[in-house]
Amino acid sequence: MIEIGDAAVSEEKVVETTAMASTENKEESKSEKKSTSTKKAISTKQARGTGKVKLLREKEDEEISLFKENIYIVFVECETPGNVGFLARTMANFGLKNLVLINPTTLTNEAYYQATHGKYIVENAKIYPTLADFYQSQRIDFKVASTGMAGGSYNLSRIPIKPEELGKSINVENKTAILFGREGDGLSNKEIGDCDICVSIPTDPTYPIMNISHAAAIIFYELFKNKHEFGVEGLSESSPLEKEYLQKDMDYLIDCLDIPEHKKRNGKKTFNNIISRAFITGREAHTLKGILRRLKNKIGEQ
């Protein structure tokens, strides 16, 4: 409370206090504006980042969808119903659903039993009397023959590629047929010759022929691994720029050491080899860079 005898002094104090409050309010206002501006910038950056991640996920989802829709697994003149079931089961493991049977044996209960969770694939399998009928019906863009007999022009009309190469180069926007041959004789030279490329799995030459479901699993895996990423945060590989910064930090630390120049060169080269060869995630690169930066700062203080 302001008393009468203190009026003059109180007025001065009130004026002084008001001025100080006004200054403080201005500072707070500036601080609030700066904070709001920073929050908006962060919010905008986060929104852009979220939008980019969303677009990438949508693109991946679309690619997976095309992968499932456009790849046809063709079993030519299968002799054993059980192998149809095993093949369907393997297809289910990798999200494939288009099974085509060319002039197959009668599908008994064994085919459905061996398919287990891939039973629906056997039930929905399309059956054609010949490969030509299938090609014409589905308008296939690209044909891949699988064979266990890798060789040159003497045995095959095309030199085979490995499953890994097929997985990297396949275009999921095209309708692609992957052919598996008969259990006993495989695909004929003519059937292979009608295909665009031939894929073969490297095996020991003393026993090169694999069971169809085993061969299919290897090929499907190589196809699928390039079209699918695990949804685990932090597993994205570090960028070339992040690796470059790591190398620069390590070079600085090595240069600070009292060792001969040739050992410094060897040390830098060794670290570069490790960084280049190893799979380092973005999070790992960030953590390692933080440690190297602290080491640099520690050395700078001495």
Side-chain angles (χ1 to χ4, degrees):
M1 178 180 290
I2 301 174
E3 296 180 359
I4 296 175
D6 298 326
V9 178
S10 298
E11 284 177 3
E12 289 178 2
K13 287 183 179 180
V14 169
V15 171
E16 184 180 351
T17 303
T18 304
M20 289 175 64
S22 176
T23 304
E24 287 176 358
N25 287 338
K26 286 180 181 179
E27 291 298 326
E28 286 179 3
S29 178
K30 286 181 182 178
S31 178
E32 285 175 1
K33 285 181 180 178
K34 186 176 180 181
S35 176
T36 303
S37 177
T38 303
K39 285 179 181 178
K40 284 182 179 177
I42 293 172
S43 178
T44 303
K45 189 175 180 181
Q46 288 174 342
R48 287 175 182 169
T50 303
K52 187 180 289 186
V53 170
K54 186 178 178 181
L55 286 174
L56 287 172
R57 285 179 179 170
E58 287 176 355
K59 186 177 179 182
E60 287 176 2
D61 290 343
E62 182 183 1
E63 194 169 7
I64 291 282
S65 178
L66 289 171
F67 173 82
K68 294 177 179 181
E69 292 292 334
N70 288 342
I71 293 183
Y72 293 77
I73 306 305
V74 185
F75 197 171
V76 179
E77 296 185 353
C78 56
E79 301 165 3
T80 308
N83 278 336
V84 175
F86 287 131
L87 180 60
R89 180 177 181 176
T90 307
M91 289 173 62
N93 287 141
F94 297 95
L96 296 166
K97 61 182 184 180
N98 298 324
L99 175 61
V100 176
L101 303 175
I102 306 298
N103 189 27
T105 185
T106 303
L107 296 183
T108 62
N109 288 335
E110 185 183 3
Y112 301 95
Y113 174 76
Q114 299 296 356
T116 58
H117 293 295
K119 182 181 176 182
Y120 67 95
I121 295 176
V122 180
E123 292 172 342
N124 296 320
K126 292 181 173 61
I127 299 176
Y128 296 90
T130 66
L131 278 169
D133 292 323
F134 160 62
Y135 294 150
Q136 186 175 4
S137 172
Q138 296 299 325
R139 299 184 180 276
I140 297 300
D141 300 307
F142 198 73
K143 305 165 204 160
V144 181
S146 65
T147 176
M149 299 297 292
S153 59
Y154 181 78
N155 292 323
L156 302 173
S157 58
R158 307 205 187 283
I159 297 175
I161 63 171
K162 295 177 182 178
E164 184 178 10
E165 296 173 276
L166 177 65
K168 289 178 180 178
S169 60
I170 197 167
N171 184 354
V172 293
E173 293 183 0
N174 292 331
K175 282 191 172 185
T176 302
I178 301 176
L179 277 60
F180 292 92
R182 306 155 189 85
E183 290 95 324
D185 302 325
L187 296 170
S188 68
N189 283 335
K190 183 183 183 309
E191 289 165 344
I192 292 173
D194 289 339
C195 290
D196 297 289
I197 60 172
C198 178
V199 62
S200 184
I201 300 167
T203 54
D204 193 289
T206 58
Y207 191 29
I209 307 301
M210 298 180 68
N211 178 280
I212 184 171
S213 61
H214 297 168
I218 293 172
I219 293 173
F220 296 167
Y221 164 71
E222 292 295 345
L223 292 174
F224 192 70
K225 76 176 185 180
N226 294 302
K227 307 295 180 289
H228 178 76
E229 295 295 337
F230 290 110
V232 181
E233 185 182 354
L235 279 184
S236 58
E237 188 173 4
S238 58
S239 67
L241 187 61
E242 288 173 323
K243 291 181 179 180
E244 182 183 340
Y245 283 143
L246 284 175
Q247 184 66 53
K248 286 181 179 179
D249 287 346
M250 181 56 73
D251 289 350
Y252 173 85
L253 292 172
I254 291 174
D255 285 333
C256 292
L257 298 176
D258 186 18
I259 58 177
E261 284 300 318
H262 72 278
K263 289 190 176 182
K264 289 183 180 181
R265 287 195 299 270
N266 288 340
K268 293 175 183 179
K269 180 63 178 173
T270 300
F271 185 76
N272 180 66
N273 289 345
I274 293 170
I275 293 297
S276 300
R277 189 170 58 244
F279 174 86
I280 300 177
T281 67
R283 179 169 294 179
E284 289 170 337
H286 180 75
T287 301
L288 185 56
K289 177 151 180 46
I291 293 172
L292 295 180
R293 186 177 64 250
R294 283 174 174 78
L295 286 172
K296 285 173 62 180
N297 292 340
K298 196 73 175 177
I299 290 173
E301 291 172 2
Q302 294 176 354

